[in-house]
Amino acid sequence: MPDQSIPEARIAEAPPGEAVSENGPPREGISRRRLLGTAGATGLVLGAAGGAVGYASAPAGATPLTSLGEDMAMFHGKHQPGITEGLQARGHLVAFDLAAGASRKEAAALLRRWSTTAQRLMAGEAAAQDDTEVARDAGPSSLTITFGFGNSFFSRTGLEKQRPVSLDPLPDFSSDHLDKARSNGDLWVQIGANDALVAFHALRTIQKDAGSAAKVRWQMNGFNRTPGATAHKMTARNLMGQLDGTRNPKPAESDFDKRIFVPASGSTDPAWMANGSYAVVRRIRMLLDDWEKLSTGAQENVVGRRKSTGAPLSGGGETTAMDLEKTDAKGALVVPINAHARIARPDQNGGAAMLRRPFSYHDGIAADGTPDAGLLFVCWQADPLRGFVTVQRKLDRGDALSTYIRHEASGLFAVPGGAAEGEYVGQRLLEG
């Protein structure tokens, strides 16, 4: 789990280079839900066709939605939603395989349906058909829905010549214990929201939209701390109790786009991937019974940071630069040579960086009494070979944390740029 933090943003439309606190006050602006609330929640809201009754019409005298419910991410844009937004409280990851005999035509129709659904649900509206009304009383709740293509998608649809070289299978790592049935897939969908019912509603609608064109290959559920649960904004904690991701690249950094997104020109990637990114997805089980037997000091030596504050063992605060050469009175390195944070640093990996945006998971108690819990690791980069693969190879050779984690599932997906108004996600690939 590379030592990089998530940009603290709650809504998609932050100005370029600006982050919004995950736990801070809502950004000013007018959303569909805010209009509804300030009008006393009694009026009708026009639907996409301009004349439909609003999905979230509330009875007279209802209390306006809180900021948690009214926050809304935008579907259309340069990049797909769900990449630079802050961590959401609930998440679902799901992979689909195209049905036998499904062609490029069926795939295009599916992506068109999914894009229409994503746009409606992210705006807090009902699904176009057969809505279950599970999320009827909620606002958009920062819902994001993101779509990607796996390596196998291109041979299934006759688009082999459009498959990016960056989608070549990930190499094997010594820490891998991968379940092939829960890995890869033709299509991948990431769903995140700050309300569990909103997230589930999106998952169920996406699954129903697949119809006979595709079937679920695997599906995983995750969670994070709910925005506003802490007294001040802070980096999220994982199930090991560590502040997880202090050194994530920030949108304000001058090279952020270069590291995370495929450029619109001058790239070896196919043109349809312009402004897109590559997502590496890993189900990483944490061996919590073994981890929790360690003292706090021993845990800190494994990670290289203070458990309480996230500060490097060499001193300072969470964002203080780690002094890799500092020694104690006995001449020993203060940050152990195999500490996770030392090995994962970009400057120890040729500048390799990725944007981590994970969810924790807990899938119950195994037969041996141990918790089946850990991290649904999702990281974004312009080039997975220079991003995830570079860092993971280094971690694979001597990361102290590897004793306490196990990689159980894996996937790599090409996530195209955002859809413009009137487009669906992947249209430039499927109709190019």
Side-chain angles (χ1 to χ4, degrees):
M1 296 175 293
D3 179 46
Q4 299 170 329
S5 69
I6 298 299
E8 294 172 335
R10 293 181 59 185
I11 46 184
E13 291 302 288
E18 182 176 350
V20 184
S21 167
E22 176 182 303
N23 296 316
R27 181 175 302 280
E28 290 303 318
I30 298 177
S31 71
R32 176 179 178 276
R33 299 295 177 169
R34 183 168 293 149
L35 284 172
L36 180 62
T38 56
T42 59
L44 301 183
V45 181
L46 296 182
V53 175
Y55 183 48
S57 297
T63 302
L65 290 165
T66 66
S67 61
L68 189 68
E70 71 180 0
D71 283 350
M72 183 172 70
M74 296 294 104
F75 173 73
H76 294 297
K78 183 178 180 180
H79 310 297
Q80 284 197 60
I83 301 176
T84 58
E85 288 82 4
L87 295 175
Q88 294 130 309
R90 301 288 177 178
H92 301 294
L93 307 179
V94 55
F96 292 82
D97 284 336
L98 292 171
S103 66
R104 177 175 172 179
K105 179 180 178 180
E106 283 77 27
L110 174 57
L111 268 296
R112 190 180 296 111
R113 289 196 300 275
W114 275 352
S115 296
T116 297
T117 289
Q119 181 180 2
R120 292 182 65 90
L121 298 190
M122 285 174 55
E125 299 172 0
Q129 295 181 353
D130 300 324
D131 191 87
T132 62
E133 301 192 11
V134 170
R136 182 177 183 86
D137 310 302
S141 303
S142 298
L143 174 67
T144 59
I145 304 177
T146 318
F147 304 102
F149 302 103
N151 181 292
S152 56
F153 176 84
F154 297 85
S155 58
R156 299 290 303 277
T157 55
L159 290 166
E160 293 96 334
K161 292 182 178 179
Q162 290 297 320
R163 179 170 54 208
V165 173
S166 296
L167 264 189
D168 286 352
L170 296 173
D172 294 329
F173 301 103
S174 64
S175 59
D176 285 353
H177 296 76
L178 303 183
D179 179 355
K180 292 184 179 180
R182 293 194 294 182
S183 299
N184 301 312
D186 294 342
L187 294 158
W188 175 68
V189 185
Q190 173 191 258
I191 296 167
N194 283 331
D195 178 79
L197 287 179
V198 169
F200 173 83
H201 177 246
L203 173 66
R204 182 66 180 137
T205 306
I206 289 293
Q207 180 191 0
K208 289 169 62 179
D209 276 354
S212 60
K215 62 179 181 179
V216 173
R217 178 181 176 88
W218 55 259
Q219 193 264 313
M220 302 174 189
N221 308 312
F223 59 89
N224 284 303
R225 175 171 278 155
T226 301
T230 55
H232 55 85
K233 62 181 181 180
M234 60 183 294
T235 305
R237 291 189 185 273
N238 61 32
L239 298 189
M240 288 178 161
Q242 301 290 146
L243 293 182
D244 188 348
T246 296
R247 288 185 58 85
N248 233 9
K250 307 296 192 296
E253 296 170 356
S254 60
D255 61 350
F256 178 84
D257 280 3
K258 180 180 178 181
R259 291 179 170 190
I260 307 305
F261 295 110
V262 174
S265 62
S267 171
T268 58
D269 286 271
W272 64 267
M273 270 299 291
N275 301 314
S277 188
Y278 291 92
V280 174
V281 181
R282 308 277 279 186
R283 185 183 190 271
I284 304 175
R285 185 172 180 180
M286 295 176 172
L287 308 181
L288 294 177
D289 282 357
D290 294 336
W291 174 257
E292 291 163 3
K293 291 175 184 177
L294 300 178
S295 67
T296 298
Q299 292 177 353
E300 291 176 342
N301 282 332
V302 168
V303 175
R305 291 181 175 274
R306 299 294 177 197
K307 191 171 184 178
S308 58
T309 65
L313 297 184
S314 55
E318 182 186 354
T319 60
T320 300
M322 184 176 289
D323 184 349
L324 300 181
E325 305 303 322
K326 187 174 182 178
T327 58
D328 60 20
K330 297 180 180 179
L333 289 169
V334 173
V335 180
I337 196 68
N338 62 346
H340 178 77
R342 172 191 282 270
I343 296 175
R345 286 170 56 95
D347 59 8
Q348 299 296 298
N349 293 279
M354 60 193 115
L355 177 64
R356 300 174 69 261
R357 199 175 183 278
F359 294 94
S360 293
Y361 78 88
H362 179 220
D363 288 343
I365 308 300
D368 61 1
T370 59
D372 184 2
L375 197 70
L376 300 182
F377 175 89
V378 181
C379 73
W380 301 88
Q381 58 262 284
D383 183 345
L385 183 61
R386 294 185 179 181
F388 173 79
V389 173
T390 296
V391 177
Q392 189 59 35
R393 277 176 171 159
K394 188 79 170 289
L395 292 171
D396 211 38
R397 292 196 292 267
D399 176 23
L401 189 61
S402 64
T403 301
Y404 304 97
I405 61 175
R406 187 162 61 218
H407 292 240
E408 296 186 335
S410 178
L412 171 62
F413 302 95
V415 177
E421 293 283 349
E423 282 188 339
Y424 63 86
V425 173
Q427 183 169 336
R428 281 162 279 179
L429 166 64
L430 291 163
E431 297 185 14

